[in-house]
Amino acid sequence: MSGHNPLLAGLAGRCPNCGEGPLFDGFLKVAARCEACGYDLAKADSGDGPAVFVILIAGFLACFGALFTQFSFNPPVWVTMIIWLPLTLFLCLGLLRPMKGIMLAAQFANRASEARHDGQD
């Protein structure tokens, strides 16, 4: 590692090994290899972790915002829905890629691939 923070690299969607190459090949598909350093990114698997964090964060913000709007200004329910449903969608889509990058970078930083269990006792 060349003195960079792998978690910040993951947050930015960069390779956690070198911080230069792209981590993603598309919106959420992880690249097979880093274009800059050749690090094998295909073995990285974040599972459902990013989605859980996105649901918790975006759900809290959207529910709080919708309830605050409803109790403070008392607009018709359809106005609250028109405002908060799209904002919830944008929050979820906006948070999903950075959260996945952080989870993959955390695996790299903690060398999680080395602790993989092969099913042999």
Side-chain angles (χ1 to χ4, degrees), residues 27-120:
F27 182 63
L28 289 175
K29 183 178 183 242
V30 179
R33 292 201 163 283
C34 174
E35 293 175 0
C37 69
Y39 183 73
D40 182 18
L41 297 167
K43 62 185 173 189
D45 180 25
S46 62
D48 292 334
V52 171
F53 284 110
V54 167
I55 289 169
L56 291 173
I57 295 168
F60 171 76
L61 293 173
C63 286
F64 176 79
L67 287 172
F68 180 81
T69 302
Q70 194 64 41
F71 288 124
S72 295
F73 305 108
N74 198 20
V77 174
W78 66 269
V79 171
T80 304
M81 299 292 267
I82 284 177
I83 294 170
W84 287 101
L85 283 178
L87 284 175
T88 303
L89 177 68
F90 292 130
L91 267 172
C92 290
L93 291 176
L95 287 173
L96 197 51
R97 186 175 164 129
M99 286 295 158
K100 185 167 183 169
I102 289 174
M103 294 292 279
L104 294 172
Q107 286 179 352
F108 170 80
N110 294 305
R111 294 175 173 74
S113 63
E114 294 174 8
R116 186 172 279 169
H117 181 64
D118 294 331
Q120 299 172 352

Side-chain angles (χ1 to χ4, degrees), residues 1-24 33-41 101 104-105 108-109:
M1 270 180 356
S2 59
H4 77 281
N5 185 336
L7 295 176
L8 291 177
L11 180 66
R14 310 309 289 168
C15 171
N17 187 46
C18 67
E20 298 296 321
L23 179 59
F24 297 104
R33 292 201 163 283
C34 174
E35 293 175 0
C37 69
Y39 183 73
D40 182 18
L41 297 167
L104 294 172
F108 170 80

